[in-house]
Structure formats: structure tokens, C-alpha cells
Amino acid sequence: MAKVAKAEPNAVLRIAHGGVSHTFDFGDDGTRQVTQAEVAALESYQRNGGALKVEVSDKKGAK
Amino acid sequence: MASAREAVIGFGRQTAKGTPLAVPKFEIAMGGGHAAPTRNVEELPWTNESQDVLGHYVNLIGGTVSLTGLPVLPKSCVALWNAALGALATSGASDPYDHAVTPSDDLDWHTFFYAEPGGLYYTVPDVKISTLTLNWSPGQPLTLDLGGTGGEAVPSDTKWGAATVTEAVDPFFTYIDAAMKIEAATTPAATTVHNIASGNISVNRNVEPIQTDGISYYDQVEQKREISVSLPDVVFEDNAFRRTVLTGTSSGTEVSSVPTYGSTLFVFPLSDGTATTSRKLQVALPRLLWATEPIDADPAGGALRYSLAGNASKPTSGAIATVSVLNGDTGANY
């Protein structure tokens, strides 16, 4: 199922994970659809006490 | 003749291994050191009815980043901290922007560029920064030392193209008017002290380069994350801090059988006097195990000083270290 990450509007998050640099630009509405690899990067970020609060949830209506 | 002053450093984050940058994202002045090719040469390990060495072979070509005394500048320092820690969150709708650097299990790949005195220009691709040290001393600019390993470096007799940001060396982050908060047994650090002379904070990611079937490194693996603070020159005012480190309280009478964790929060301002509400470098270590050495007698006398060393460990919540930089950069180059 597709996932959506939500954070502070206009926040930009960069995480080195899995050998690549992931960049999350949350834009004006503070949300961004994320892939499985990006979800793993966000989970790692939160495990390490990342400063930006990010919530990952299932995308409404997605299958 | 050429001068050893004629050097400059550039760097930038790659999106992945094997995709080096053509031009740096940042170019800044430098103190000492280099980013340059390395070539390991071994003796042929055989004999052939001769006591002579039979020859040599090249077993590794790579690149080394060994930089000392880098200026700590408002924009580029964010990228350098991120190189050693691995995660960067930028927030703020307008100036000042807040760049919060925290650890990631992986580190970004970087390209480093070095103009060597004498006229050779090196590009070192696929670098991971293994060590970073922030240094301060009385009345002086802050400096950074960096160490890391890279892939096969490329020499050239022409300089790289213009960096995205060529950052001026002034203003710089300084130790003058820094707010140094430390605690012996509590967190977060709230007590501002003025008796710390020199010191440093070190990040060691213990990155291990791995060679497989190529002549350069195949990969680099991050291992234990070690973050520590060293305060070798603390002016003595009273015994409360040291006694707390030893006993757990400022009036304890028994050496504690369990570790006592304290914390630090250091805020460094810009040299141009800009208020720290709009420009600052802040380093927070919320869980530190302090150690202090006995103070040796000295018949020569002199002002009494002592040392403190703290090793960071993972707190119950939050990051082992958070580096926050306020600057006027949206962060597009990080």
C-alpha cells in the first residue's frame, strides 16, 4: 500500500540510507508520498532520534 | 617558486556511490592538510634464487581526505557536519533557516576537490568522512578537522569549474562570547560556565573501507558511532562538578558504583556579532559519561586547572548528538 509522510510544511529532510541520499521536500502542505526505500530511511532517521517529526501513514484510498 | 599558501578545498554530497560531482557545492579556505590520491605499493612476495628484491606491485589506488584547521563558516559547516553524521533536516519559511544535523546509520558519499600548492588539482570521489573534530580555544575562530577515505582520485592541471557556493571566510563561528552549558549529572544542560579554556568535540564513525576485486575500494562501511567531548583545560573554581562526576552529587562522600550521566549544550556565535537568534552553531550532547583526572601537585604553582572528558551514549529519546546551525541559506546546496 502506498505511504505518505507528513512533516512541518516546507521542511526539507536529507537522509543517507541504503547507500544513497534520500531527499524529502515536504512542500507547502507538509506531505509527500514515499516509497518503501524511503520509508526505511525515515524509520532509521527516527530510530536515531532525528530532529524533525515525521509521521508515516497509509495513503488514503490507496491499495 | 610556489607558495604553500596557494591551496583551496572544495566538496559536495553525491547522490550515490559512483556518481562524483563535476564541480564542488562548496569551496572554502583551508588551514592544513590535503585531499589527494593514495597509492599503496608492495614488494613482490617471492624469491628467485636471489637475495635482491624482485620488484613491486600496486595493490590499491584510492584517495585520502585529511584536513585540519578548516574555518567553520555559516553555510558550508552544515554540509561538513552532515558528512560526518548523515541526516539533515532544514526548516523555516524564511531567514533564518534552521539546519538540524543528527546521526544516520549510513553516511553520504562525497566528492572532495583540492588545489594542491604547486598547481595540481585533485578530485577525490566516493569519500565517506570517518572523523570530524570541532576545536575551540580562547579568543580564536573555531576550526574543524576532517578525515576520510575515497575512491580513485583524479589529478588534473586545470582547476574544477566554479563551485555552487564559494563561501567567504569572514564572518566565521568563534569561541568569543560562546555560551557553554555543562551538567555533571543532569540533562539537558542548563548551567552556563565561563571556565572552559580550550576543548573539542569529536565524531568518529569508524568507517571501514573494503577492497574486493578492484584496485580501489569497493565499499565503505560505517561501524560504531563514537562521539566525545574533551575539555583538557578547565579553570578551577570549585570541586562541585568533579565531585559529582566521582560520587553522583556535589557533596557525595563515596565514589559512585554506577555511572552518572551529564550533558552539554554549546552555542557558538558568528564573529561579526550577529545575534544568535539568527546565526549560530549549536552542539547538544544530551547524555555524557564524564571522567576527570586527579589534579597533580605542582611545586611550581600556577593557576589550577583540570581536565574533563565525556563520552556520549544513546539517550532514552532523541539523538545522541544534535548539531543545529542557523543561517540564511535555504539549504538547497546541502
Side-chain angles (χ1 to χ4, degrees), chain B residues 83-259:
Chain B
L85 288 174
L88 167 63
T90 297
S91 56
S94 60
D95 186 353
Y97 298 93
D98 189 349
H99 308 281
V101 187
T102 52
S104 176
D105 290 341
D106 294 353
L107 296 177
D108 285 312
W109 298 95
H110 284 73
T111 307
F112 274 74
F113 303 78
Y114 174 53
E116 185 183 62
L120 272 179
Y121 300 88
Y122 297 121
T123 301
V124 186
D126 295 332
V127 173
K128 282 196 176 180
I129 292 300
S130 186
T131 60
L132 175 151
T133 303
L134 174 73
N135 308 286
W136 62 86
S137 54
Q140 300 300 312
L142 305 184
T143 61
L144 275 176
D145 302 334
L146 285 183
T149 300
E152 195 168 337
V154 178
S156 170
D157 57 5
T158 56
K159 192 182 176 185
W160 53 83
T164 311
V165 176
T166 300
E167 193 168 20
V169 77
D170 193 2
F172 48 83
F173 285 116
T174 177
Y175 189 42
I176 295 175
D177 291 333
M180 308 295 279
K181 295 179 180 178
I182 66 173
E183 300 287 352
T186 57
T187 189
T191 305
T192 302
V193 300
H194 298 284
N195 61 333
I196 296 172
S198 59
N200 65 69
I201 293 172
S202 297
V203 178
N204 188 348
R205 291 297 280 113
N206 292 293
V207 175
E208 180 185 359
I210 297 171
Q211 185 180 13
T212 55
D213 58 359
I215 199 165
S216 58
Y217 290 119
Y218 170 66
D219 202 353
Q220 299 196 53
V221 179
E222 302 81 356
Q223 301 183 87
K224 186 165 65 171
R225 181 164 42 237
E226 297 174 304
I227 300 177
S228 59
V229 56
S230 173
L231 306 175
D233 192 8
V234 182
V235 177
F236 182 88
E237 290 177 333
D238 60 47
N239 274 313
F241 197 100
R242 296 179 70 247
R243 195 166 179 176
T244 303
V245 170
L246 282 174
T247 69
T249 70
S250 60
S251 58
T253 56
E254 187 177 349
V255 174
S256 175
S257 59
V258 295

Side-chain angles (χ1 to χ4, degrees), chain A residues 12 14 16-18 21 47-48, chain B residues 15 88 90 104 106 108 225:
Chain A
V12 177
R14 291 183 171 83
H17 185 76
S21 284
R47 259 200 319 276
N48 282 299
Chain B
T15 55
L88 167 63
T90 297
S104 176
D106 294 353
D108 285 312
R225 181 164 42 237

Side-chain angles (χ1 to χ4, degrees), chain B residues 59-85:
Chain B
N59 74 347
L60 178 75
I61 296 175
T64 296
V65 173
S66 176
L67 298 166
T68 57
L70 287 174
V72 186
L73 305 175
K75 296 179 181 177
S76 55
C77 85
V78 177
L80 295 175
W81 280 107
N82 186 47
L85 288 174

